[in-house]
Amino acid sequence: MSYGMIPQEVIDEVLRRHEISETVGKYVHLTKNGKYLKGLCPFHSEKTPSFTVTPEKQIFHCYGCGKGGNVIKFVMEMEGESFPEAVKLLAEEAGIPVTWTSYSAEDASPVQKEKRILQEAHDYSAKLYHYLLQNLEVAKPAKAYLQSRGLDDALIEQFGIGYAPPRWDTLTQALERKQFPASEMEAGGLLSKRQDAEGYVDRFRDRIMFPIHDVRGQTIAFGGRLLSDGQPKYLNSPETALFSKSRTLYRLHEARSAIRKSGQVVLLEGYMDVIKAWSAGVRNGVATMGTALTAEHAAVLRRFAEEAVICYDGDDAGQAAARKSIPLLEEAGFRVRVSLLPNRMDPDEYVTSYGAEAFVREIIEGAVSAVKFQLIYLRKSHILLEEDGRIRYLRDAVRIVAVRNSPMERELLLKELAQEFGVALDTLKQECLEYRQREKLESARDIPAGSWNNVWNGNNFASKTPPLGAAHVNAERQLLSWMMQDRDAAHLVEQKLGDRFHVEDHAALAAYLYAYYAQNNDPDVGRFVTTLQDDRLERMASVIAMIDVPYGERELEDCIRTIGRASQDREYERLTEELKRASREGDQARVLQLGIEIIALEKQRKMS
């Protein structure tokens, strides 16, 4: 058995070399839950984990969105790759020689072709820019600038920093020599159309170039800092088939391991901040690229960490951005803390002025809770020297405290406010209680009629398991689960039931299992899933494989009887309908014959 040009033994080796929990763990923060691992689904937004990995069976399944399969399917879904490309990627990671053609030019979709060409062009461009920075005479001012910012050759090399010369066609000509189509390079954000003539020019000129990578470490975009006077100071690649600003975070591919290990991510604002924080030992830092933090960013990061430290610039703009980021991160399920940088400094300046140790101790470890930061930020909009200003501040502060879920946290915060402003604690508690009651009432009024569902109900009463069907449907699913895990069970079902499954997809899975074992394959859910080559069947197989009931021949016989009774019930309904029709038509001979058949069937039903 093989998939296209890929030998089956290669697929088997890929599955054997890649422990699914390790591969999924590169994208999703997993926690142990008995024999399962659980986490937030990377394929849809959720607060309560419904994504499950079963190492024993080497499969994943999400009870929320229904996606499921083996490690190859996960990479396909996560990276948007075809089956051959996912196998190729996993094979390369495992050091398995890629000696087959993953797909022919005819097999690749237009989107796959575009992405492949753009990926190669970006990787080439990153190497070219880096070479030019290190070797070009005109790049010396750029090199001197980086050194003045505290970046030595090791950091420049590690972060792949490069330089785009002032010429209009340095990259244009280089890409042309490599036979990359200019129109596709323009669509991919590397080139720009000439405004006053035909042809193309470099998008980035006289800029220090910071390569931007996807989670696999492949170059997908660039950020360029202008050296000469002009605007914009920073220029990023546009949205392309490879690059989405709302989902991509600078250096996540390198920081991911440290983020997962520490359970914490440090959010910074710019390239230099990330690089200087890295040099200071903060290896779990990432940055958005000229855009505000999005809910998508937060969802991506929540797969790897539970705590977020916002370390934005200390100026007004940076602190305002931090304040706006807090609800996004909390909505995604993060514990949030905020760093307080003195004298309107940015992280880069702080590391340069005070050193790495102080940065880690005072700025990262010394970050305050989100609510503390909000209270500090609130002070800027009130004149606390005036009595009226203090009253307004306390009212606004109590509202901030009131929305916190933890009673203990509310108590401690209100005590601090009471002590600082000389107000009775009971007074602040009463104000807090009244505000919470008003908000609860307003929330209840705002819920649309009939909308008491998973969106409005924070307790999440929505079922996390597939709905139960008729008895015979459940019996078929149970049989298939045993068949996937036990060759003898599959043989017994084939002998006693064959293809007489009531659900069409169940019958299809059974047929695949019969064929799978006929080729002397051992029970292996992950390997079996690769034989299906159908999204719907793969999802169904992953759901059914999660059924965890011990196998026994007696239980198997019970399931077969349940399915048999359903067949008899269906036949009884058919015969009675025919009997009614024959009676209406006055066909007495047919009525007599059907009556005999019904009596015989009733005897069978009683005996079964």
Side-chain angles (χ1 to χ4, degrees):
M1 190 184 302
S2 65
Y3 195 112
M5 302 295 292
I6 308 176
Q8 182 62 43
E9 57 266 24
V10 171
I11 296 173
D12 293 344
E13 186 66 9
V14 163
L15 292 171
R16 190 182 70 79
R17 296 266 197 104
H18 287 276
E19 164 60 44
I20 192 168
S21 59
E22 292 180 4
T23 300
V24 174
K26 295 176 182 178
Y27 302 84
V28 181
H29 180 68
L30 297 171
T31 56
K32 191 164 180 58
N33 185 5
K35 63 171 67 173
Y36 306 106
L37 298 169
K38 299 197 75 172
L40 294 172
C41 181
F43 307 119
H44 79 288
S45 179
E46 62 177 8
K47 293 181 183 178
T48 304
S50 61
F51 181 86
T52 303
V53 174
T54 311
E56 179 186 359
K57 300 173 183 176
Q58 289 295 295
I59 57 171
F60 74 93
H61 179 71
C62 176
Y63 290 109
C65 66
K67 290 187 184 295
N70 59 15
V71 68
I72 298 172
K73 186 65 176 180
F74 178 82
V75 172
M76 288 172 64
E77 295 281 3
M78 202 69 219
E79 300 294 344
E81 299 286 10
S82 64
F83 182 94
E85 279 300 300
V87 173
K88 180 174 180 285
L89 174 66
L90 290 167
E92 289 173 341
E93 286 184 4
I96 301 170
V98 178
T99 57
W100 70 92
T101 302
S102 60
Y103 52 76
S104 66
E106 292 76 21
D107 293 333
S109 70
V111 172
Q112 288 170 337
K113 291 178 183 177
E114 178 188 6
K115 289 177 70 175
R116 187 173 73 252
I117 292 171
L118 282 180
Q119 188 68 77
E120 292 171 359
H122 275 82
D123 284 338
Y124 170 73
S125 300
K127 292 174 184 176
L128 176 65
Y129 286 141
H130 183 66
Y131 174 83
L132 295 177
L133 174 68
Q134 299 289 49
N135 296 278
L136 214 60
E137 184 70 24
V138 73
K140 285 187 175 179
K143 188 76 173 288
Y145 170 81
L146 290 170
Q147 290 170 341
S148 72
R149 296 289 299 271
L151 273 64
D152 56 20
D153 285 343
L155 281 174
I156 291 171
E157 185 72 30
Q158 188 169 23
F159 283 81
I161 301 171
Y163 176 66
R167 276 183 50 178
W168 290 75
D169 59 356
T170 302
L171 184 62
T172 303
Q173 289 190 13
L175 292 173
E176 185 179 346
R177 285 193 296 271
K178 289 288 183 178
Q179 298 184 332
F180 287 108
S183 60
E184 293 184 28
M185 299 302 98
E186 188 266 336
L190 293 171
L191 305 181
S192 299
K193 283 185 177 180
R194 288 183 179 273
Q195 295 182 351
D196 53 355
E198 291 185 0
Y200 299 88
V201 296
D202 295 1
R203 176 180 177 84
F204 299 97
R205 300 183 300 277
D206 195 27
R207 291 180 182 272
I208 293 172
M209 301 297 289
F210 299 90
I212 299 165
H213 305 85
D214 62 15
V215 291
R216 291 181 288 167
Q218 294 182 310
T219 310
I220 58 172
F222 291 96
R225 188 205 186 277
L226 190 63
L227 277 182
S228 55
D229 294 333
Q231 292 294 329
K233 182 178 177 181
Y234 278 96
L235 178 66
N236 289 327
S237 295
E239 297 271 324
T240 68
L242 295 179
F243 177 52
S244 169
K245 292 180 183 178
S246 64
R247 287 184 56 83
T248 308
L249 290 139
Y250 181 60
R251 297 299 285 184
L252 178 58
H253 71 292
E254 287 285 359
R256 185 174 56 194
S257 176
I259 292 170
R260 191 185 299 109
K261 186 176 180 180
S262 64
Q264 178 196 80
V265 60
V266 176
L267 287 166
L268 300 127
E269 285 191 274
Y271 309 112
M272 291 299 296
D273 292 336
V274 172
I275 295 170
K276 292 298 286 291
W278 179 279
S279 71
V282 178
R283 302 299 167 88
N284 54 336
V286 299
T288 55
M289 289 152 292
T291 60
L293 186 78
T294 66
E296 289 173 291
H297 286 137
V300 168
L301 291 172
R302 187 62 182 85
R303 301 172 195 162
F304 310 112
E306 297 176 349
E307 180 179 82
V309 175
I310 303 173
C311 188
Y312 289 172
D313 295 356
D315 59 13
D316 292 342
Q319 298 303 284
R323 183 175 63 87
K324 291 177 181 177
S325 298
I326 290 171
L328 277 174
L329 292 166
E330 290 187 330
E331 183 71 16
F334 279 102
R335 295 190 308 273
V336 183
R337 294 193 294 129
V338 185
S339 297
L340 301 175
L341 285 123
N343 305 321
R344 304 172 68 85
M345 283 182 162
D346 60 36
D348 172 20
E349 292 170 333
Y350 190 95
V351 172
T352 301
S353 299
Y354 298 102
E357 187 179 332
F359 178 72
V360 173
R361 183 182 65 251
E362 302 294 334
I363 304 304
I364 304 303
E365 294 177 357
V368 301
S369 68
V371 66
K372 277 285 187 70
F373 171 78
Q374 290 170 311
L375 293 173
I376 293 169
Y377 188 87
L378 181 64
R379 290 172 179 267
K380 297 180 180 181
S381 57
H382 294 84
I383 303 173
L384 299 183
L385 294 175
E386 298 177 358
E387 183 178 352
D388 189 50
R390 289 195 296 275
I391 291 172
R392 283 199 298 270
Y393 170 77
L394 279 172
R395 282 178 176 162
D396 290 343
V398 167
R399 288 176 186 143
I400 290 173
V401 174
V403 299
R404 310 308 294 181
N405 290 325
S406 167
M408 185 182 296
E409 185 182 16
R410 293 197 301 269
E411 174 91 11
L412 290 172
L413 290 166
L414 291 176
K415 275 184 179 178
E416 289 181 12
L417 288 170
Q419 291 171 2
E420 182 180 358
F421 289 91
V423 179
L425 176 59
D426 288 344
T427 301
L428 295 183
K429 282 185 175 180
Q430 182 62 30
E431 186 91 11
C432 181
L433 177 62
E434 290 175 2
Y435 181 79
R436 285 177 65 82
Q437 288 173 340
R438 284 198 304 273
E439 286 297 297
K440 187 175 181 180
L441 181 61
E442 289 300 317
S443 296
R445 288 174 180 168
D446 288 342
I447 297 176
S451 295
W452 187 251
N453 55 22
N454 193 32
V455 176
W456 297 102
N457 179 7
N459 291 325
N460 198 7
F461 290 134
S463 174
K464 287 298 180 185
T465 56
L468 295 175
H472 70 276
V473 174
N474 292 327
E476 290 181 0
R477 289 158 68 92
Q478 182 62 76
L479 286 180
L480 289 167
S481 175
W482 286 328
M483 290 165 70
M484 279 189 257
Q485 300 168 62
D486 191 296
R487 186 201 306 267
D488 291 339
H491 287 160
L492 278 172
V493 173
E494 187 175 13
Q495 292 168 12
K496 294 176 178 289
L497 194 63
D499 62 354
R500 298 190 303 278
F501 286 80
H502 294 277
V503 178
E504 184 178 344
D505 283 350
H506 292 175
L509 283 176
Y512 272 109
L513 280 163
Y514 299 151
Y516 178 79
Y517 288 121
Q519 295 174 5
N520 294 319
N521 291 310
D522 292 325
D524 185 328
V525 176
R527 188 172 191 269
F528 168 67
V529 168
T530 65
T531 69
L532 299 175
Q533 304 176 24
D534 180 277
D535 281 345
R536 189 179 70 256
L537 291 181
E538 287 177 9
R539 291 188 183 196
M540 178 169 285
S542 68
V543 174
I544 291 173
M546 301 293 287
I547 299 172
D548 193 16
V549 176
Y551 167 63
E553 286 193 30
R554 182 177 177 180
E555 290 78 6
L556 182 142
E557 292 287 354
D558 288 342
C559 286
I560 291 176
R561 274 196 296 273
T562 299
I563 295 166
R565 280 196 297 269
S567 297
Q568 292 172 346
D569 291 343
R570 185 173 294 180
E571 179 65 11
Y572 182 82
E573 289 174 6
R574 186 187 69 80
L575 291 173
T576 52
E577 283 298 318
E578 280 198 37
L579 179 65
K580 290 177 185 176
R581 187 163 51 250
S583 181
R584 286 196 301 269
E585 294 171 355
D587 187 347
Q588 294 303 315
R590 182 62 177 154
V591 168
L592 180 61
Q593 176 62 36
L594 288 169
I596 293 171
E597 291 182 24
I598 290 171
I599 291 169
L601 184 59
E602 285 178 335
K603 288 181 179 178
Q604 288 181 23
R605 292 171 71 189
K606 289 177 181 177
M607 293 174 62
S608 63

